[in-house]
Amino acid sequence: MCGIIARIGEGDAITKLVSGLENLEYRGYDSAGVAVQNGSGISVYKRSGQVSELKDSLVSSVPKGNVGIGHTRWSTHGPPTDENAHPHTSQTDEVAVVHNGIIENYTELKEMLREKGHEFTSDTDTEVIPHLFEQYLEDAPDNVTAFRQTVRDLEGSYAVAALVDGEDAIYAARQGSPLILGLDNGEYYLASDVPAFLDHTEDVVYFEDGDMAILEPTGVTMTDMEGNRINRDVEHIDWDPEDAGKGGYDHYMLKEINTQPNALSNTIEGRVQDGEVNLEDFPPGTFDNVDDVHFVACGTSYHAALYGQQLLSNAGIRAQAFRASEYVDASPGPVSENTLVIAVTQSGETADTLGALRQAKTEGAQVITVTNVVGSTAARTADEALFIRAGPEIGVAATKTFSSQAVTLSLLSVRLAEDIDGASLPGDVDEMLETVYDLPKHVDQVLETTNARAIAEKYTDSESFFFIGRGLNNAVAKEGALKFKEITYEHAEGFASGELKHGPLALVTPDTPVFAVFSGDGDGKTMKNAEEAQARGAPIVAVASADHDVIDIADSHLEIPETHPVWAGLLANVQLQLVSYYAARLLDRPIDKPRNLAKSVTVE
């Protein structure tokens, strides 16, 4: 779950390496480092802490060289110390390596290398790679062969970039962790994610598992693990570099909350025409053979999957949302060619979701992925991909991508209900499809009129925070609680509203505000549940339209525009995102870089 960057070309590499690390810091911010080939050895600069601290340390001694690698770390093996920061070097400093992933057999490799006289200075699994590479350099006919022998010995997941002293080249390989090549008129980049080099190029090549590459000033050579030359297509990423910046906002999260209207407009564009859903690669009849649907996802994407599951269940389709980390081991029931598995993943690189996706394919299921990233591993592994078109999201706490995922799955649910035998579209589906185009405008209205800051000021000193909702709003409540705990570090839980009295009510006190979501569907029971909490002293914050009955009994109110119930929950979600954001500001939390978390979870 780390971020790697590498660059080769004319001119000094260090400025572009550091800016690439700044753009990748959402992938990890425990420590950071760079290594540059300077003509008289490999210069390594690394330290614990954020990229800004590394950058400050380079001011007085800027390393020179046109070839370099860099890394920003999310710790898996060993604490975030200077010694455990990447790049790691070999016994004689002849090799420097950055790595994203987990080397599962590093203990055995370390023991073997120790027997050959190698000494290790860190707690990481990564350090075995440069030592192993150096060991093979002793007898291999060339550096490429030694690198190939090295990566063949590695078990687990990795994206690796390596330097060898005295050679203007970068050696790279991928197995299970993302790695992308950027091409820019004689300059070449490697990175874990596109934003690392988006300021320089939008032309990319996606590595596939088992790919190796040598980057030299004259070009890039790609091979498989046997040394056979391979060609990968160059793809153009249609992202504006400004989309990956803060754009004048104090935090990426606030920017991404505020750009949801644009993201949603992109998500919806062209997908509802003449009152019918039109989903590019899924024409009528695509899902005729589907008997049941499994969603697999993690975190925020799992809550979007719950949204989709509820819509399919409402249409009479057997559907279940699984946490991807449990899917392989949890015996989800019979999986066959008549099972549709929908993998929901913002990055398309989430390790647990990819594992579930591959398991489903092995068992013969039809697999599609709903993702934000063209060319991602999930998009290439699934039978088909449906893109949410939200644009780059940098804040670790997902915001606009949840909204775009939920809308995409809502439209997909209509497409499925039209095909699957025995399913029935809701009677108000025409209204649902007609009002989806109002959603961006309604989100704008929420952003312009919200009193979320005042609500945050009123309740931030509370002991715990509960979020409740029914039906589709159960997913919204769970997502609201996740957002709150992610960035405020305060205790928050989301429940199906009817579950309050089956245990959680024991925790309710006057110091536990309850955020209750109302969308115009099943609200009477949620209102009763809210009153039960209020009778025990809990203040009720109603997230509802202006004329809703709950306003008469609520202690506070977050207003949402009147709209179809399927979209009302997503407007409520925007209000809850804003409450979380302002509460985190009041508590002086590092909003874009919450402790212990990273954006793209590429390890299991």
Side-chain angles (χ1 to χ4, degrees):
M1 253 154 56
C2 307
I4 64 176
I5 178 73
R7 181 266 185 192
I8 187 169
E10 292 186 5
D12 283 332
I14 192 65
T15 300
K16 293 176 180 178
L17 290 176
V18 172
S19 68
L21 291 179
E22 290 175 323
N23 292 339
L24 283 176
E25 202 166 13
Y26 59 89
R27 297 183 65 92
Y29 30 87
D30 290 344
S31 59
V34 293
V36 176
Q37 183 80 259
N38 65 10
S40 59
I42 298 174
S43 297
V44 176
Y45 299 79
K46 61 181 185 176
R47 60 178 300 157
S48 61
Q50 299 184 8
V51 174
S52 59
E53 297 174 67
L54 172 71
K55 187 176 181 179
D56 290 344
S57 73
L58 293 172
V59 171
S60 60
S61 178
V62 180
K64 302 293 185 180
N66 68 332
V67 184
I69 56 178
H71 188 274
T72 181
R73 182 172 184 246
W74 185 87
S75 303
T76 54
H77 293 79
T81 63
D82 291 353
E83 292 78 15
N84 289 335
H86 297 215
H88 287 289
T89 54
S90 60
Q91 185 79 6
T92 64
D93 297 332
E94 183 181 6
V95 175
V97 165
V98 292
H99 163 234
N100 174 31
I102 292 179
I103 306 303
E104 295 174 358
N105 64 332
Y106 84 99
T107 302
E108 299 94 306
L109 292 172
K110 182 178 283 190
E111 185 58 33
M112 179 270 289
L113 289 162
R114 276 179 173 150
E115 291 177 359
K116 295 180 179 294
H118 291 258
E119 296 180 1
F120 294 84
T121 60
S122 79
D123 305 311
T124 70
D125 56 333
T126 300
E127 195 183 359
V128 300
I129 302 175
H131 284 261
L132 193 61
F133 193 178
E134 182 179 84
Q135 185 65 40
Y136 278 124
L137 283 170
E138 290 185 7
D139 300 315
D142 52 56
N143 294 354
V144 177
T145 302
F147 184 67
R148 184 176 299 115
Q149 291 171 321
T150 298
V151 294
R152 280 179 178 171
D153 283 354
L154 304 179
E155 296 176 7
S157 64
Y158 54 81
V160 174
L163 302 178
V164 178
D165 184 22
E167 185 173 6
D168 282 352
I170 301 169
Y171 299 87
R174 172 208 161 123
Q175 182 66 43
S177 293
L179 189 60
I180 305 165
L181 172 68
L183 310 171
D184 182 31
N185 297 322
E187 282 189 304
Y188 305 97
Y189 297 87
L190 289 170
S192 302
D193 207 351
V194 171
F197 50 66
L198 194 57
D199 290 337
H200 309 295
T201 181
E202 298 168 11
D203 294 324
V204 305
V205 175
Y206 290 93
F207 280 61
E208 297 187 8
D209 283 351
D211 286 358
M212 288 178 47
I214 308 165
L215 282 64
E216 299 173 288
T218 54
V220 178
T221 303
M222 296 190 72
T223 71
D224 61 20
M225 289 293 182
E226 305 304 317
N228 301 309
R229 292 285 293 267
I230 56 176
N231 293 303
R232 300 286 180 220
D233 293 337
V234 178
E235 300 188 32
H236 185 77
I237 300 298
D238 191 21
W239 284 355
D240 188 326
E242 292 186 6
D243 290 343
K246 287 183 183 176
Y249 289 91
D250 290 338
H251 297 93
Y252 284 110
M253 183 181 180
L254 184 61
K255 176 195 173 185
E256 288 155 4
I257 291 172
N258 278 274
T259 55
Q260 283 178 105
N262 288 337
L264 287 168
S265 293
N266 292 334
T267 298
I268 298 163
E269 184 180 3
R271 288 177 167 172
V272 178
Q273 298 174 342
D274 300 322
E276 295 185 354
V277 172
N278 175 31
L279 294 179
E280 302 101 0
D281 297 323
F282 305 98
T286 300
F287 304 111
D288 282 348
N289 68 327
V290 172
D291 291 335
D292 60 337
V293 177
H294 293 173
F295 293 92
V296 292
C298 301
T300 288
S301 295
Y302 174 72
H303 298 149
L306 286 175
Y307 212 85
Q309 173 201 285
Q310 185 67 51
L311 287 167
L312 292 184
S313 296
N314 292 347
I317 298 169
R318 290 200 306 270
Q320 188 170 357
F322 295 90
R323 298 185 187 277
S325 57
E326 297 293 315
Y327 188 74
V328 174
D329 300 321
S331 300
V335 175
S336 71
E337 62 184 9
N338 301 116
T339 302
L340 174 66
V341 175
I342 302 174
V344 187
T345 162
Q346 185 280 134
S347 67
E349 303 293 349
T350 308
D352 291 319
T353 305
L354 290 173
L357 186 160
R358 290 169 177 138
Q359 176 73 16
K361 289 199 74 171
T362 298
E363 297 187 15
Q366 180 181 354
V367 179
I368 65 174
T369 188
V370 174
T371 186
N372 195 34
V373 182
V374 176
S376 61
T377 302
R380 289 182 283 111
T381 304
D383 298 317
E384 296 288 350
L386 182 58
F387 297 104
I388 67 171
R389 305 171 177 169
E393 184 178 68
I394 306 301
V396 169
T399 51
K400 66 177 181 174
T401 54
F402 173 79
S403 300
S404 290
Q405 285 173 335
V407 170
T408 301
L409 291 172
S410 299
L411 299 180
L412 180 60
S413 74
V414 175
R415 185 80 285 286
L416 287 163
E418 290 171 340
D419 282 358
I420 296 175
D421 189 37
S424 58
L425 289 166
D428 60 353
V429 67
D430 290 340
E431 181 189 352
M432 170 187 163
L433 295 179
E434 182 179 339
T435 54
V436 70
Y437 279 107
D438 293 330
L439 188 55
K441 174 183 67 179
H442 285 155
V443 172
D444 254 333
Q445 186 176 332
V446 169
L447 294 169
E448 290 172 1
T449 62
T450 184
N451 61 328
R453 185 195 295 264
I455 296 294
E457 290 172 350
K458 185 174 182 179
Y459 294 110
T460 294
D461 290 336
S462 300
E463 184 177 275
S464 292
F465 301 81
F466 289 170
F467 297 75
I468 63 171
R470 185 176 294 268
L472 290 171
N473 295 330
N474 178 27
V476 174
K478 292 181 185 300
E479 174 60 14
L482 177 63
K483 224 36 72 223
F484 200 89
K485 71 180 73 174
E486 278 182 318
I487 63 167
T488 69
Y489 309 160
E490 299 298 309
H491 177 251
E493 295 295 337
F495 306 102
S497 57
E499 285 300 300
L500 262 183
K501 57 183 173 290
H502 294 288
L505 206 56
L507 301 175
V508 165
T509 73
D511 207 27
T512 56
V514 176
F515 292 78
V517 181
F518 298 88
S519 64
D521 187 12
D523 287 354
K525 292 182 178 179
T526 298
M527 187 167 169
K528 184 176 185 298
N529 301 137
E531 289 178 303
E532 291 167 348
Q534 192 178 50
R536 275 79 179 171
I540 302 302
V541 182
V543 192
S545 59
D547 59 354
H548 199 286
D549 291 344
V550 73
I551 307 306
D552 295 333
I553 65 101
D555 298 279
S556 300
H557 176 214
L558 288 160
E559 184 179 336
I560 60 173
E562 194 79 47
T563 188
H564 190 278
V566 169
W567 313 127
L570 302 184
L571 300 174
N573 175 65
V574 176
Q575 288 282 27
L576 296 179
Q577 291 172 349
L578 289 164
V579 170
S580 297
Y581 174 79
Y582 287 117
R585 286 198 72 154
L586 288 167
L587 294 166
D588 197 27
R589 307 300 193 215
I591 291 171
D592 286 332
K593 301 170 185 175
R595 67 185 179 202
N596 303 331
L597 301 179
K599 181 70 174 176
S600 183
V601 185
T602 57
V603 297
E604 294 182 344

